[in-house]
Amino acid sequence: MPLLEPDPRSLRPRGRREPSPDRVPDRLAGGTPEPLRSELIALLGAEKVCWKVSDLVRYASDASPYRFVPQAVVVAEDIDDVSAVLSYAHGRGREVVFRAAGTSLNGQAQGEDILVDVRRHWVGIEVLDDGRRARILPGTTVVRANAALARHGRMLGPDPASAIACTVGGVVANNASGMTAGTTRNSYRTVSSLTFVLPSGTVVDTGDPAADEDLAHAEPRLCEGLLALKREIEADPELTARIRAKYEIKNTNGYRLDAFLDGSTPVEILRGLMVGSEGTFGFISEVVFDTLPLDRLVSTALLFFPSLPAAAAAVPLFNEAGAVAVELMDGNTLRASVSVKGVPADWAGLPKDTTALLVEFRAPHEAAQEAYERAATEAMAGLELVAPVASVTNELTRDARTIAGYWKARKAFVTAVGGSRPSGTTLITEDFAVPPSSLSGACAALLELQARHGFDAAVAGHAAHGNLHFLLAFDASKPSDVERYAAFMDEFCRLTVERFDGSLKAEHATGRNIAPFLELEWGPKATELMWRTKQVIDPDGVLAPRIVLDRDPQAHLRGLKTIPKVELIADPCIECGFCEPTCPSRDLTTTPRQRIVLRRELTRQPDGSPVAAGLLDSYGYDAVDTCAGDSTCALDCPVGIDTGALMKEFRHRRHSPREERVAAFAARHFKVVEASARLGVAAADKVGDRLLERATGLARRAVRPDLVPKWLPQIPGAAPASLPRTERVGASAVYYPACVNRLFGEPEGFRGPSLPQALVAVSERAGRPVWIPDDIAGTCCATIWHSKGYVEGNAVMANRIVEAAWGWTAGGRLPLVVDASSCTLGIAHEVVPYLTDDNRELHGELKVVDSVVWAAEELLPRLTILRTARSAVLHPTCSMRHLGDEASLRAVASACAEEVVVPDDAGCCGFAGDRGMLHPELTASATAREAAEVRSRPYEAHLSANRMCEVGLERGTGRRYYSVILELERATRPGPECLRRR
């Protein structure tokens, strides 16, 4: 064991804990039981089987209110793995559930036996026919797919609010639709073909002309069974009419019985049945979509009404005017969305009954846009609109920023409202549809029902399609609260079906939540046909039992998860999973959601629990060590939960007093540390990579991998011994070269000036000279200490840099230009909590500017571009996302290159200062998809804006990355054309 290995017990939840009734039982403390574990490993290989108790716990929760702990988790790489698992399950009488993003809201991505992860290795999109079709793997997020299609002016039909996280496979399997899809643009209507694996292991490609012939040969009983059901349905005119009527409004409750009417062959019937089947009929391994035009001219209005029924009554007017979306948000939703960055603060003061409609029109050209705006204005003219707070305008706008803000508030419905729920409560998201003409009456009835059962629920939804969502919060650990919820659900379901002839699940699918009410909506005849369809396709019941079909009238109350209180920063989490796609460790260890899920399970466990001991043994590496700490999770979490900050707090908890003292000493004497480090880097150039890798490897094993960095061949040589000479007189800004750029030089083989030399040169050329203070040695942005959780050292350096910067800039009269984006973020924002009151005032007077923003706004307009690269690939850093500086990076790069490409899979590189040296596997995993894009074609330049990120990208891609400022200097340097790079 390394000498300084931290004690796992330091990460135990604090305070007294009572064991929770839904805690993971002690029998799973050792993880997957035998012989299941050994048999799966023998079948698939150890790297594809997640068996530790921490693995089972982190996969036990999703965005739904349910929690079921699997016995084993398999990470399938290909169809062969899926077929092998299904064959094994048949032979052993086991059950299988598929899970992709885990954003489903009704428990359909949870299983109690073998859970198969079909996200990690199932990402990719092939654009076909100039974008008119797209072949997509099921683990691809909707946002990622649409990014590829947007370059062709196309998009997918389904547009769920969770598009940032939900995957195409899940969207199809649930027939999820969203804001604009309605009944005509959903998966059922826009899927061209599917490839799927049946429970028997048979693979069907519905786009193959020989598919029916092959299926008849492989599965004759299945084919005959499907055709028999088709004949039976078609022979019943009343049933046929009922099926057609049920799909005139949005409906995802039960199986798509209209597939028997729309398909003429077994393969065509299966294509329809697979959509919305929630993984109970097979695994969808590939989808070919017919795409839709991406109309780029947008006009939007956010209109406020005095009540929910008043807003609902206005919906038909905007449908008639041609609106592509009419979204409803009630007062609770509007007030809760104030927690979302960019939402007007005065919404918190909106009256309780206030309701808003978000109305949007999209057009392919200006004339159509103007026509839509005239129709919208006429519709608005006679409405009873209110403006209860100053930010409300009740006007149409074309401003993209304003429109994006409206949609951000709307899409944050579940997470924002859920994040503001009482601590310790479980969140239920209900989803139903009524004929749009009945919407107003349904809203009034829903409000009355909620009040009668003691729920102050939030309501929002796709009003254009009569589809509403509402949220209920209750304490699942209290039987009285569960009984109250059960009574509400019984009455709500009867109300929706019997009074409004609505659908109990419009787009979130049946799952476990509505399975007991399936017959209430569909009647006994249609429901029995669904059971028989399941028997035909999955006769052994291998796939997803108790999902969609369940004869237990209390099934929706089984497995409701308790939400124990955890650390304050993470407590609002509703486990939605929006944070996961951006997390650099998502394919290596854990995600932000899983880190919080594991904390909650630790809180459920009593002191001395063997399960807790097993979780703590894994948590240090899986959660704390391999968190990059980049906090991009907070950007994608609608309520801004910063799991990275929590992991930094846990790093602090693990430090011994001695470690804290050493870190503080290093901060106080950083001038010596900096000089010594630079000498060490210079000496390393002479020693050689192999010897340094061996030496640091031995030190890491002896001391601790999280304390001793591993030497990497991509580490650059030492920076020049001195910084460029500059003058304070006449300077337009103070230039602060970050310590990383004072320590490390440019990539091996790079021909040109150092970064400080380049920034000084281009600023001088633009007539905006900068001044480098003589006393910057020994100062730092404090990120070194902040990222590792060294509180005292962080405070020492944070206060030192602010005091120094205030003096350098003459009390903030000059901007402070910083040449590393992470350091810009550190000085501008991250130091603030650690400052003294006096220094917080000084900090408020500083203007901290990233060098890329300085170049884009102050230099580019004054520079002449003399030469450009043919192509450049760009890596926006996560710090730039936090700062909102990505547009500036693109602007500078676009001035320097004829073609600029940002990879669709660009994300945090995971290098995170030196974390990529402490845990190189983190960077390898984080950059894998971006690296594949970068290596797929040649680029003349590979550009970014942070030295250590550039090192990480070079390690991940094998390409030489450097600062965009260096490229700008080359592009504007007077001289011959031979200045092209070598």
Side-chain angles (χ1 to χ4, degrees):
M1 177 181 289
L3 294 175
L4 298 179
E5 189 70 20
D7 185 349
R9 293 174 297 178
S10 63
L11 296 177
R12 286 186 303 188
R14 293 173 175 172
R16 181 175 175 79
R17 303 186 305 282
E18 294 295 331
S20 175
D22 65 338
R23 68 187 182 277
V24 173
D26 289 351
R27 60 181 170 78
L28 286 179
T32 299
E34 294 290 2
L36 178 60
R37 181 200 308 179
S38 297
E39 289 176 350
L40 286 176
I41 289 174
L43 179 70
L44 301 164
E47 72 283 357
K48 297 178 185 178
V49 181
C50 300
W51 59 266
K52 294 185 301 182
V53 65
S54 60
D55 296 325
L56 308 186
V57 169
R58 65 191 175 96
Y59 275 99
S61 293
D62 62 8
S64 79
Y66 300 99
R67 196 173 80 104
F68 292 97
V69 181
Q71 297 294 295
V73 177
V74 169
V75 182
E77 288 189 8
D78 50 33
I79 284 182
D80 289 342
D81 286 346
V82 173
S83 296
V85 170
L86 291 173
S87 176
Y88 172 82
H90 274 288
R92 299 294 193 279
R94 307 205 71 107
E95 301 164 355
V96 176
V97 169
F98 298 109
R99 170 174 171 146
T103 56
S104 300
L105 295 167
N106 295 314
Q108 55 265 56
Q110 295 183 346
E112 299 172 76
D113 196 359
I114 300 173
L115 188 71
V116 182
D117 181 326
V118 289
R119 176 195 59 83
R120 187 181 304 180
H121 299 293
W122 301 83
V123 178
I125 174 171
E126 179 186 3
V127 177
L128 307 170
D129 301 335
D130 196 28
R132 288 186 293 276
R133 294 189 306 141
R135 188 186 311 277
I136 311 175
L137 296 182
T140 309
T141 64
V142 173
V143 159
R144 173 67 177 82
N146 278 333
L149 288 169
R151 290 192 286 272
H152 301 268
R154 309 291 291 186
M155 63 181 291
L156 296 180
D159 61 339
S162 57
I164 190 174
C166 68
T167 61
V168 166
V171 167
V172 175
N174 291 290
N175 198 23
S177 47
M179 276 73 67
T180 66
T183 59
T184 60
R185 297 159 59 109
N186 60 22
S187 295
Y188 188 80
R189 299 300 178 193
T190 59
V191 164
S192 173
S193 67
L194 295 172
T195 301
F196 50 84
V197 186
L198 290 168
S200 61
T202 299
V203 179
V204 179
D205 176 1
T206 67
D208 184 347
D212 272 299
E213 181 182 346
D214 293 343
L215 185 64
H217 179 74
E219 304 271 0
R221 187 200 61 81
L222 168 64
C223 293
E224 178 50 40
L226 292 174
L227 292 174
L229 288 169
K230 175 181 173 63
R231 289 191 294 269
E232 182 178 340
I233 293 171
E234 291 180 331
D236 188 333
E238 183 180 352
L239 177 61
T240 299
R242 181 60 178 159
I243 291 171
R244 290 299 189 194
K246 288 297 293 176
Y247 293 110
E248 289 178 1
I249 62 173
K250 294 174 69 171
N251 191 344
T252 60
N253 192 16
Y255 296 130
R256 290 286 310 211
L257 292 180
D258 56 344
F260 289 103
L261 304 176
D262 297 332
S264 58
T265 70
V267 166
E268 290 176 359
I269 293 169
L270 278 173
R271 189 216 69 86
L273 285 172
M274 289 298 296
V275 177
S277 63
E278 304 174 50
T280 63
F281 288 163
F283 166 59
I284 298 172
S285 63
E286 184 180 274
V287 185
V288 177
F289 269 99
D290 291 324
T291 65
L292 300 172
L294 176 60
D295 293 333
R296 299 182 187 272
L297 299 182
V298 179
S299 302
T300 307
L302 187 62
L303 308 175
F304 287 74
F305 295 80
S307 68
L308 183 59
V315 171
L317 297 175
F318 294 107
N319 284 343
E320 293 170 8
V324 69
V326 184
E327 296 292 298
L328 182 145
M329 294 179 279
D330 78 341
N332 284 344
T333 302
L334 293 166
R335 288 188 296 276
S337 66
V338 170
S339 62
V340 178
K341 185 178 180 181
V343 171
D346 62 4
W347 284 14
L350 287 169
K352 183 179 187 302
D353 293 334
T354 303
T355 302
L357 291 181
L358 175 55
V359 183
E360 183 157 292
F361 300 85
R362 299 177 190 168
H365 50 76
E366 183 75 22
Q369 184 177 32
E370 291 174 354
Y372 281 137
E373 288 176 343
R374 286 193 298 271
T377 301
E378 291 175 8
M380 292 162 56
L383 296 178
E384 182 189 358
L385 300 177
V386 296
V389 294
S391 65
V392 173
T393 64
N394 290 323
E395 294 177 351
L396 275 169
T397 181
R398 295 184 178 185
D399 181 69
R401 191 182 186 113
T402 301
I403 293 170
Y406 290 162
W407 280 107
K408 190 173 184 181
R410 167 60 190 94
K411 291 182 178 182
F413 165 61
V414 173
T415 44
V417 176
S420 65
R421 76 196 187 284
S423 181
T425 57
T426 297
L427 189 71
I428 302 275
T429 306
E430 297 299 349
D431 158 51
F432 72 107
V434 298
S437 59
S438 301
L439 184 63
S440 181
C443 287
L446 176 62
L447 292 176
E448 187 276 331
L449 183 65
Q450 290 171 346
R452 185 149 40 81
H453 287 273
F455 289 109
D456 185 20
V459 180
H462 318 308
H465 311 292
N467 176 197
L468 291 182
H469 309 309
F470 61 94
L471 304 178
L472 306 174
F474 64 93
D475 189 339
S477 67
K478 295 180 179 179
S480 59
D481 257 23
V482 175
E483 290 171 7
R484 180 165 62 100
Y485 165 66
F488 172 87
M489 282 300 293
D490 287 343
E491 195 167 346
F492 162 71
C493 291
R494 288 197 305 272
L495 172 75
T496 302
V497 172
E498 296 170 359
R499 182 171 166 184
F500 296 103
D501 194 21
S503 54
L504 294 174
K505 282 297 172 188
E507 61 178 359
H508 293 169
T510 311
R512 301 174 184 272
N513 179 241
I514 293 295
F517 304 98
L518 183 64
E519 186 170 329
L520 172 66
E521 177 176 339
W522 276 96
K525 183 184 293 186
T527 303
E528 196 57 34
L529 280 168
M530 293 181 189
W531 278 95
R532 289 167 58 195
T533 302
K534 170 71 170 173
Q535 178 66 26
V536 166
I537 298 174
D538 184 19
D540 296 329
V542 167
L543 287 180
R546 306 195 74 169
I547 294 171
V548 182
L549 301 175
D550 196 328
R551 298 195 192 275
D552 178 4
Q554 302 293 307
H556 60 305
L557 306 179
R558 191 177 73 93
L560 289 170
K561 65 184 172 189
T562 61
I563 304 291
K565 295 180 182 179
V566 291
E567 288 77 11
L568 186 63
I569 192 172
D571 198 53
C573 176
I574 64 165
E575 303 173 8
C576 67
F578 282 26
C579 56
E580 293 192 336
T582 193
C583 178
S585 61
R586 65 189 180 277
D587 292 335
L588 177 67
T589 50
T590 58
T591 67
R593 168 169 62 176
Q594 292 173 338
R595 290 175 169 97
I596 295 170
V597 162
L598 289 165
R599 292 304 291 176
R600 285 178 169 157
E601 183 56 37
L602 282 166
T603 306
R604 292 186 184 100
Q605 296 290 331
D607 290 333
S609 155
V611 170
L615 295 177
L616 287 170
D617 283 344
S618 300
Y619 200 81
Y621 175 77
D622 287 351
V624 181
D625 293 344
T626 52
C627 173
D630 65 315
S631 295
T632 52
C633 51
L635 297 177
D636 288 340
C637 172
V639 291
I641 295 173
D642 189 347
T643 313
L646 180 61
M647 295 304 107
K648 292 169 189 173
E649 166 59 25
F650 289 159
R651 288 170 189 166
H652 172 64
R653 278 196 206 177
R654 294 197 305 175
H655 296 155
S656 66
R658 180 182 177 186
E659 287 178 83
E660 285 286 337
R661 288 195 299 272
V662 169
F665 180 88
R668 293 189 182 94
H669 301 87
F670 189 62
K671 187 171 184 178
V672 175
V673 172
E674 179 185 341
S676 301
R678 194 196 163 281
L679 288 173
V681 172
D685 288 342
K686 300 178 175 62
V687 173
D689 291 332
R690 183 172 299 179
L691 182 59
L692 286 167
E693 287 184 74
R694 187 178 301 124
T696 56
L698 290 171
R700 283 161 60 81
R701 287 193 291 273
V703 180
R704 178 173 141 206
D706 205 51
L707 285 179
V708 180
K710 177 181 180 180
W711 182 264
L712 304 176
Q714 293 78 18
I715 298 299
S722 59
L723 293 166
R725 295 181 60 83
T726 55
E727 298 293 334
R728 182 168 190 168
V729 176
S732 299
V734 176
Y735 170 28
Y736 180 70
C739 62
V740 68
N741 292 320
R742 307 194 304 261
L743 179 62
F744 294 113
E746 307 316 318
E748 183 178 354
F750 180 84
R751 296 180 60 182
S754 67
L755 178 56
Q757 291 167 347
L759 187 56
V760 168
V762 291
S763 298
E764 186 71 35
R765 280 175 209 153
R768 302 288 285 165
V770 294
W771 170 61
I772 302 176
D774 296 331
D775 57 343
I776 64 168
T779 63
C780 173
C781 66
T783 299
I784 297 172
W785 293 268
H786 176 65
S787 66
K788 298 178 185 300
Y790 290 114
V791 174
E792 185 180 353
N794 190 11
V796 167
M797 190 55 73
N799 283 281
R800 180 185 299 169
I801 186 60
V802 168
E803 291 168 3
W806 192 83
W808 296 331
T809 61
R813 283 192 285 274
L814 290 177
L816 182 74
V817 177
V818 185
D819 64 3
S821 58
S822 60
C823 302
T824 308
L825 179 66
I827 298 173
H829 300 287
E830 292 177 343
V831 300
V832 175
Y834 304 91
L835 299 176
T836 64
D837 291 342
D838 288 344
N839 283 341
R840 195 171 285 118
E841 287 187 23
L842 299 185
H843 183 273
E845 298 176 14
L846 297 177
K847 181 182 180 183
V848 183
V849 180
D850 190 78
S851 58
V852 174
V853 176
W854 171 254
E857 296 181 357
E858 298 293 331
L859 307 186
L860 269 183
R862 299 174 172 88
L863 289 170
T864 301
I865 302 297
L866 300 176
R867 60 191 65 81
T868 57
R870 289 180 292 274
S871 61
V873 65
L874 203 56
H875 177 78
T877 69
C878 46
S879 298
M880 302 196 87
R881 281 196 65 197
H882 284 283
L883 293 164
D885 292 347
E886 293 168 289
S888 295
L889 180 67
R890 183 181 278 275
V892 177
S894 296
C896 301
E898 296 165 18
E899 178 195 14
V900 174
V901 174
V902 177
D904 289 335
D905 285 314
C908 176
C909 66
F911 209 82
D914 67 349
R915 192 137 301 265
M917 300 166 69
L918 299 171
H919 300 286
E921 68 277 15
L922 176 60
T923 293
S925 178
T927 59
R929 290 176 188 158
E930 181 176 359
E933 283 191 74
V934 171
R935 290 194 295 260
S936 68
R937 55 159 288 190
Y939 294 95
E940 191 171 352
H942 301 76
L943 308 176
S944 191
N946 190 292
R947 192 68 197 94
M948 299 316 289
C949 295
E950 292 153 14
V951 172
L953 265 295
E954 181 176 347
R955 181 167 177 80
T957 66
R959 305 293 188 265
R960 188 180 68 183
Y961 276 77
Y962 53 90
S963 173
V964 70
I965 300 297
L966 293 170
E967 190 65 19
L968 179 64
E969 189 282 327
R970 190 199 68 83
T972 59
R973 189 192 317 164
E977 180 64 18
C978 66
L979 287 172
R980 282 198 175 274
R981 69 198 52 70
R982 295 290 184 265

